[in-house]
Amino acid sequence: MLSEERNRTLTQVGPGTPMGELLRRYWMPIAGASELDARPTKPVRLLCEDLVLYKDKGGRFGLVDRQCAHRRADLAYGMVEDCGLRCNYHGWLFDETGACREIPYDDLADPASNLKAGVKIKAYPVRECAGLLFAYMGPAPVPPLPVYDALTWTNGWREVVTSDVPCNWLQCQENSCDPVHFEWMHDNWGARLRGSEELSPKHLKVAFDEFEHGFLYKRVREGQPEGSHFWTVGRVALWPIGFFLGQHFEWRVPVDDENTLSIALFFARVPRGREPYVQKTVPTWKSPLTYPNGEWITSHVINQDILAWVGQGRIADRSKEYLSGSDRGIVMMRKRYFDEIEKVRRGEDPKGVVRDAAAAACIELPLAERAQFVEGLPIEDWPKDRLMGRRMHGHVWCYGQPAEVWKDFAEAMGFDPGLRAAGEGP
Ligand code: FES
Ligand SMILES: [Fe+2]
């Protein structure tokens, strides 16, 4: 349980709030790079700030203030140029550092005034990695982007899946350190939705550890030997807003206090023998939360999670909760947020910020099944594999994968796209 005041401290993310200041010390994924292929500008709201993400004709990504410095027109309707974004109202041109490069009328009629030299808009650095765009909204010096080794695996097919989740980010992130919900939400409730009352193996014990880049949760379920990697290695709640499960990452990016961008990056290694495989573009698609009739989608794992998060309320009232033994990881996480808020107040770098560029270039996260993702499985072994067997028939995690994305995936893996099950999308 948290007091209302402490709950506010952890859930408010605007500029100047304690948690907002902490989260601004980290690079966050904000979009799929391919989102800017069809239209080169995208309005985004992040940490309560309204911004425009764009890709100029020179291939540079920018993240700048939504409002033009001149008379506040909406830069989401701006025109991209060889370098920068031009406001569609009077043509002022800004680059990715926020500098004003041109004021067309004044540059022509009164060049000596050099008005543009004194004009700047808010701008944040953007980096592309593994098909994702990451942004850093904190103070200088900008730390290097932490590149987890899973973002560098080769011979694989990736996709970015986003959802707009109408609740606060923290209840989403607490789900990253919550082993027991798998048994109930995904297994037992999932079975009930399919008309079965069969119960899945019970959790017998759970444990939680902390490391530089997050927390590990470990579990033993009925019938599972203690030598299993679920107990010896565990799964990663990635600090400060992520979740890492090997074949995918999930991030819960705070849009504002009441909205979260769920952004997931999936990786599938091509079956052994199909190398070399180089993916042309990483597709990005949006997974809906509800069917057109308004009913919530419950068929896929992340859709189920989102239903739980939204069900906790717009901002979960932690003054009314009872924590139990299975919530020890959540208690550790909350304490860590409070402690790191204090570090930022003292002017120190918080947990997980890597300043050394060489160290940041490849960060290995704990993962038992790394060999499977690096070396691949023969396609004959896919049907026997817990996960890949299911992936031959659909997405498993997110509802609504577009048919062309499925086809591209199946073709990359070398199996028949016709294996797709019904109910994967509209
Ligand atoms: S408002 Fe943007 S150029 Fe005038
Ligand atoms: Fe879940």
Side-chain angles (χ1 to χ4, degrees), residues 3-142:
S3 67
E4 286 180 17
E5 189 195 336
R6 280 168 73 79
N7 197 31
R8 271 194 298 278
T9 301
L10 291 191
T11 51
Q12 293 181 345
V13 294
T17 61
M19 184 53 92
E21 288 307 301
L22 171 61
L23 292 176
R24 279 169 173 76
R25 264 58 179 184
Y26 300 96
W27 287 92
M28 293 182 304
I30 58 164
S34 56
E35 287 184 70
L36 297 172
D37 290 346
R39 193 187 152 189
T41 60
K42 183 186 179 190
V44 292
R45 185 166 161 79
L46 296 166
L47 299 172
C48 302
E49 297 184 41
D50 288 307
L51 305 164
V52 180
L53 177 66
Y54 72 85
K55 183 182 187 178
D56 69 22
K57 290 183 180 171
R60 274 172 296 264
F61 292 99
L63 179 65
V64 296
D65 201 337
R66 179 91 186 254
Q67 254 57 55
C68 176
H70 178 214
R71 281 178 22 229
R72 317 292 296 158
D74 184 352
L75 287 173
Y77 295 100
M79 304 173 267
V80 291
E81 302 289 1
D82 289 338
C83 180
L85 179 65
R86 189 185 294 284
C87 181
N88 68 342
Y89 203 10
H90 312 94
W92 292 29
L93 176 69
F94 302 93
D95 70 15
E96 77 279 5
T97 69
C100 183
R101 294 257 191 136
E102 287 177 22
I103 298 181
Y105 174 78
D106 295 64
D107 289 351
L108 188 68
D110 184 14
S113 79
N114 199 18
L115 176 64
K116 60 180 179 263
V119 178
K120 204 164 162 68
I121 54 172
K122 181 157 75 179
Y124 298 119
V126 177
R127 302 272 184 280
E128 183 179 9
C129 182
L132 285 169
L133 296 179
F134 291 82
Y136 175 80
M137 296 171 63
V142 179

Side-chain angles (χ1 to χ4, degrees), residues 327-357:
D327 299 314
R328 293 195 311 275
I330 286 170
V331 173
M332 285 167 79
M333 263 174 51
R334 291 181 188 173
K335 178 170 186 320
R336 177 55 60 203
Y337 290 125
F338 284 116
D339 290 351
E340 300 307 303
I341 282 171
E342 287 310 314
K343 268 198 207 161
V344 169
R345 275 204 183 114
R346 294 196 299 266
E348 298 166 26
D349 269 344
K351 176 183 175 71
V353 171
V354 180
R355 290 283 171 193
D356 180 70

